[in-house]
Amino acid sequence: MALPTLTPEQRAEALAKAAEARKARSALLADIKDGKQSIATVLGKAKEDKTIGKTKVAALLKAVPGIGAVKVAALLEQAGIDPDRRAAGLGDRQKAALLDALG
């Protein structure tokens, strides 16, 4: 299936929308890093908030202070979560397992 041909106006609108989404995601990760939002709160809002829902779980976990890439990989494996899973795609058991693993 070929991609649709966009007019210059549609393309500009899509680029602006993508930039806005990246900015919102960046602000979310900064809030987690600064401790303004907890990972439990963020995961709880994943189904309603489009920005959180489309963010990968691994990126959310890496934003938590003191957790690096190796620890994130271990947490995801322990909780049975695919590394490419997005926050909105987590089931209740996966969320609970992840939060238990975080302590």
Side-chain angles (χ1 to χ4, degrees):
M1 186 167 129
L3 293 174
T5 304
L6 299 178
T7 65
E9 295 83 19
Q10 290 173 323
R11 181 171 164 73
E13 185 178 317
L15 288 171
K17 186 176 177 183
E20 186 178 318
R22 283 193 302 273
K23 186 176 180 181
R25 205 168 3 264
S26 175
L28 169 69
L29 295 176
D31 284 349
I32 294 171
K33 188 172 288 238
D34 294 341
K36 294 177 184 173
Q37 291 194 41
S38 71
I39 196 73
T41 306
V42 170
L43 290 177
K45 294 190 286 187
K47 298 279 187 199
E48 300 88 40
D49 190 333
K50 202 172 189 180
T51 301
I52 296 171
K54 289 191 174 190
T55 305
K56 290 189 178 184
V57 176
L60 292 173
L61 291 175
K62 284 179 189 174
V64 176
I67 298 181
V70 174
K71 178 92 176 191
V72 167
L75 286 170
L76 291 176
E77 185 176 330
Q78 183 180 351
I81 300 170
D82 188 276
D84 292 328
R85 175 73 62 183
R86 298 193 186 271
L90 289 180
D92 292 334
R93 289 184 186 167
Q94 289 176 319
K95 282 184 199 174
L98 186 60
L99 293 175
D100 286 344
L102 283 171

Short mmCIF file of all heavy atoms in Angstrom, two decimals, residues 54-83:
data_model
loop_
_atom_site.label_atom_id
_atom_site.label_comp_id
_atom_site.label_asym_id
_atom_site.label_seq_id
_atom_site.Cartn_x
_atom_site.Cartn_y
_atom_site.Cartn_z
N LYS A 54 1.24 6.85 23.84
CA LYS A 54 2.07 6.57 22.67
C LYS A 54 3.56 6.54 22.99
O LYS A 54 4.38 6.32 22.10
CB LYS A 54 1.79 7.59 21.57
CG LYS A 54 0.43 7.39 20.94
CD LYS A 54 0.27 8.22 19.71
CE LYS A 54 -1.04 7.89 19.02
NZ LYS A 54 -1.14 8.50 17.71
N THR A 55 3.92 6.77 24.25
CA THR A 55 5.31 6.74 24.66
C THR A 55 5.71 5.31 25.02
O THR A 55 4.95 4.60 25.67
CB THR A 55 5.54 7.66 25.87
OG1 THR A 55 5.08 8.97 25.55
CG2 THR A 55 7.00 7.73 26.24
N LYS A 56 6.88 4.89 24.61
CA LYS A 56 7.34 3.54 24.92
C LYS A 56 7.62 3.43 26.42
O LYS A 56 8.12 4.37 27.05
CB LYS A 56 8.59 3.20 24.13
CG LYS A 56 8.31 3.03 22.65
CD LYS A 56 9.50 2.49 21.91
CE LYS A 56 9.13 2.30 20.45
NZ LYS A 56 10.20 1.68 19.70
N VAL A 57 7.29 2.26 26.97
CA VAL A 57 7.48 2.01 28.40
C VAL A 57 8.96 2.13 28.75
O VAL A 57 9.31 2.68 29.80
CB VAL A 57 6.93 0.62 28.78
CG1 VAL A 57 7.21 0.31 30.24
CG2 VAL A 57 5.45 0.55 28.50
N ALA A 58 9.83 1.66 27.87
CA ALA A 58 11.27 1.74 28.13
C ALA A 58 11.73 3.19 28.28
O ALA A 58 12.53 3.50 29.16
CB ALA A 58 12.05 1.05 27.01
N ALA A 59 11.20 4.08 27.46
CA ALA A 59 11.56 5.50 27.56
C ALA A 59 11.07 6.10 28.87
O ALA A 59 11.77 6.90 29.50
CB ALA A 59 10.99 6.28 26.39
N LEU A 60 9.88 5.71 29.31
CA LEU A 60 9.35 6.20 30.58
C LEU A 60 10.23 5.73 31.73
O LEU A 60 10.53 6.51 32.65
CB LEU A 60 7.92 5.71 30.80
CG LEU A 60 6.85 6.28 29.87
CD1 LEU A 60 5.52 5.57 30.08
CD2 LEU A 60 6.68 7.77 30.07
N LEU A 61 10.65 4.47 31.69
CA LEU A 61 11.47 3.93 32.77
C LEU A 61 12.86 4.55 32.79
O LEU A 61 13.42 4.79 33.85
CB LEU A 61 11.57 2.42 32.66
CG LEU A 61 10.29 1.64 32.94
CD1 LEU A 61 10.50 0.16 32.67
CD2 LEU A 61 9.81 1.87 34.36
N LYS A 62 13.42 4.82 31.60
CA LYS A 62 14.75 5.44 31.54
C LYS A 62 14.74 6.85 32.12
O LYS A 62 15.77 7.35 32.56
CB LYS A 62 15.26 5.48 30.10
CG LYS A 62 15.75 4.15 29.60
CD LYS A 62 16.22 4.26 28.16
CE LYS A 62 16.52 2.90 27.59
NZ LYS A 62 16.83 2.94 26.16
N ALA A 63 13.59 7.48 32.13
CA ALA A 63 13.48 8.83 32.67
C ALA A 63 13.48 8.84 34.20
O ALA A 63 13.74 9.88 34.80
CB ALA A 63 12.21 9.51 32.16
N VAL A 64 13.22 7.70 34.81
CA VAL A 64 13.22 7.62 36.27
C VAL A 64 14.66 7.74 36.76
O VAL A 64 15.54 7.02 36.27
CB VAL A 64 12.60 6.29 36.76
CG1 VAL A 64 12.69 6.16 38.27
CG2 VAL A 64 11.15 6.18 36.31
N PRO A 65 14.93 8.65 37.71
CA PRO A 65 16.30 8.81 38.21
C PRO A 65 16.83 7.50 38.81
O PRO A 65 16.14 6.82 39.55
CB PRO A 65 16.17 9.89 39.29
CG PRO A 65 14.91 10.61 38.96
CD PRO A 65 14.00 9.60 38.32
N GLY A 66 18.07 7.17 38.46
CA GLY A 66 18.71 5.99 39.01
C GLY A 66 18.48 4.71 38.23
O GLY A 66 18.97 3.66 38.61
N ILE A 67 17.72 4.80 37.14
CA ILE A 67 17.46 3.61 36.33
C ILE A 67 18.06 3.84 34.94
O ILE A 67 17.70 4.79 34.25
CB ILE A 67 15.95 3.32 36.21
CG1 ILE A 67 15.37 3.03 37.59
CG2 ILE A 67 15.71 2.14 35.29
CD1 ILE A 67 13.90 2.70 37.59
N GLY A 68 18.97 2.95 34.56
CA GLY A 68 19.62 3.04 33.25
C GLY A 68 19.09 1.99 32.29
O GLY A 68 18.14 1.27 32.59
N ALA A 69 19.75 1.89 31.16
CA ALA A 69 19.30 0.99 30.10
C ALA A 69 19.32 -0.48 30.52
O ALA A 69 18.40 -1.23 30.20
CB ALA A 69 20.15 1.19 28.86
N VAL A 70 20.35 -0.89 31.27
CA VAL A 70 20.47 -2.29 31.69
C VAL A 70 19.37 -2.64 32.69
O VAL A 70 18.72 -3.68 32.58
CB VAL A 70 21.86 -2.56 32.29
CG1 VAL A 70 21.96 -3.95 32.86
CG2 VAL A 70 22.93 -2.33 31.24
N LYS A 71 19.14 -1.75 33.63
CA LYS A 71 18.09 -1.98 34.63
C LYS A 71 16.71 -1.99 33.97
O LYS A 71 15.84 -2.78 34.33
CB LYS A 71 18.16 -0.88 35.70
CG LYS A 71 17.12 -0.96 36.76
CD LYS A 71 17.58 -1.75 37.94
CE LYS A 71 16.50 -1.69 39.01
NZ LYS A 71 16.92 -2.19 40.26
N VAL A 72 16.49 -1.11 33.00
CA VAL A 72 15.22 -1.07 32.27
C VAL A 72 14.98 -2.40 31.56
O VAL A 72 13.88 -2.96 31.64
CB VAL A 72 15.19 0.11 31.26
CG1 VAL A 72 14.03 -0.04 30.29
CG2 VAL A 72 15.09 1.43 31.99
N ALA A 73 16.01 -2.91 30.88
CA ALA A 73 15.87 -4.18 30.18
C ALA A 73 15.55 -5.30 31.15
O ALA A 73 14.68 -6.15 30.87
CB ALA A 73 17.16 -4.49 29.41
N ALA A 74 16.19 -5.30 32.31
CA ALA A 74 15.93 -6.34 33.32
C ALA A 74 14.51 -6.22 33.87
O ALA A 74 13.82 -7.24 34.05
CB ALA A 74 16.94 -6.23 34.45
N LEU A 75 14.05 -5.00 34.13
CA LEU A 75 12.70 -4.78 34.65
C LEU A 75 11.64 -5.24 33.64
O LEU A 75 10.66 -5.88 34.02
CB LEU A 75 12.48 -3.31 34.99
CG LEU A 75 13.14 -2.77 36.24
CD1 LEU A 75 13.02 -1.25 36.28
CD2 LEU A 75 12.53 -3.38 37.48
N LEU A 76 11.84 -4.90 32.39
CA LEU A 76 10.88 -5.28 31.35
C LEU A 76 10.83 -6.80 31.19
O LEU A 76 9.75 -7.37 31.05
CB LEU A 76 11.22 -4.60 30.02
CG LEU A 76 11.03 -3.09 29.97
CD1 LEU A 76 11.50 -2.53 28.64
CD2 LEU A 76 9.59 -2.71 30.23
N GLU A 77 12.00 -7.43 31.23
CA GLU A 77 12.03 -8.89 31.11
C GLU A 77 11.36 -9.55 32.32
O GLU A 77 10.58 -10.49 32.17
CB GLU A 77 13.47 -9.37 30.98
CG GLU A 77 13.57 -10.86 30.73
CD GLU A 77 15.00 -11.30 30.51
OE1 GLU A 77 15.81 -10.50 30.02
OE2 GLU A 77 15.29 -12.47 30.83
N GLN A 78 11.63 -9.02 33.49
CA GLN A 78 11.05 -9.57 34.73
C GLN A 78 9.53 -9.44 34.71
O GLN A 78 8.82 -10.33 35.18
CB GLN A 78 11.63 -8.83 35.93
CG GLN A 78 11.17 -9.33 37.26
CD GLN A 78 11.79 -8.55 38.42
OE1 GLN A 78 12.68 -7.73 38.21
NE2 GLN A 78 11.30 -8.78 39.61
N ALA A 79 9.02 -8.34 34.18
CA ALA A 79 7.58 -8.11 34.14
C ALA A 79 6.92 -8.75 32.91
O ALA A 79 5.70 -8.71 32.79
CB ALA A 79 7.29 -6.61 34.17
N GLY A 80 7.71 -9.29 32.01
CA GLY A 80 7.16 -9.92 30.81
C GLY A 80 6.62 -8.93 29.81
O GLY A 80 5.61 -9.18 29.15
N ILE A 81 7.30 -7.80 29.66
CA ILE A 81 6.87 -6.73 28.75
C ILE A 81 7.87 -6.62 27.60
O ILE A 81 9.08 -6.57 27.82
CB ILE A 81 6.78 -5.38 29.50
CG1 ILE A 81 5.77 -5.48 30.65
CG2 ILE A 81 6.40 -4.26 28.56
CD1 ILE A 81 5.78 -4.29 31.57
N ASP A 82 7.35 -6.56 26.38
CA ASP A 82 8.19 -6.40 25.20
C ASP A 82 8.85 -5.02 25.25
O ASP A 82 8.20 -4.03 25.60
CB ASP A 82 7.33 -6.52 23.94
CG ASP A 82 8.15 -6.54 22.69
OD1 ASP A 82 8.50 -5.45 22.20
OD2 ASP A 82 8.45 -7.63 22.19
N PRO A 83 10.15 -4.91 24.91
CA PRO A 83 10.84 -3.61 24.96
C PRO A 83 10.23 -2.53 24.07
O PRO A 83 10.42 -1.35 24.33
CB PRO A 83 12.27 -3.94 24.49
CG PRO A 83 12.42 -5.39 24.72
CD PRO A 83 11.06 -6.00 24.57
#
